[in-house]
Amino acid sequence: MIVVDGQSNERLVLDGGWLEKLRGGRPVTRTPASSFRGAQWKDLERRVTLFGREKERLVQVTLTFDGGPFVGLIADAAKRPELEAIVDGLEAARSA
């Protein structure tokens, strides 16, 4: 099981043959991992406070599935390896 926490109290969970997105601890989407088609990555940077100079680095991943939903998550850039592990797990489930 791979779990990645993102912004806005969201979480992605890859458990066996299923990918689930949770928001506030409640399931939003549950999709079979074998229907995975691809991932799009985007690096983001935003200010921590409205007029502050300090910025935080984020990564956004959008996962696409056959005939299903797009599943997106924004997380701290440091969590990119964990998100890549989820994408690797989805690709392995697709080819199995």
Side-chain angles (χ1 to χ4, degrees):
M1 178 187 309
I2 303 172
V3 178
V4 180
D5 291 324
Q7 299 282 311
S8 303
N9 204 18
E10 294 183 332
R11 173 181 281 177
L12 283 182
V13 179
L14 179 62
D15 187 12
W18 293 91
L19 176 78
E20 189 167 27
K21 181 175 181 177
L22 305 168
R23 185 175 297 128
R26 294 188 171 174
V28 176
T29 303
R30 184 173 168 92
T31 308
S34 61
S35 67
F36 176 70
R37 289 297 154 236
Q40 294 179 340
W41 296 89
K42 187 174 183 181
D43 293 314
L44 307 170
E45 190 175 274
R46 72 175 182 193
R47 292 181 185 189
V48 175
T49 59
L50 184 60
F51 297 108
R53 293 184 183 204
E54 185 181 349
K55 294 183 180 180
E56 64 180 337
R57 303 199 67 185
L58 304 170
V59 62
Q60 176 182 1
V61 63
T62 304
L63 308 170
T64 55
F65 297 88
D66 262 349
F70 292 95
V71 177
L73 185 79
I74 298 175
D76 295 329
K79 294 188 179 185
R80 187 177 184 118
E82 298 169 35
L83 289 169
E84 289 173 348
I86 285 184
V87 171
D88 291 343
L90 290 169
E91 288 175 348
R94 176 180 63 184
S95 63

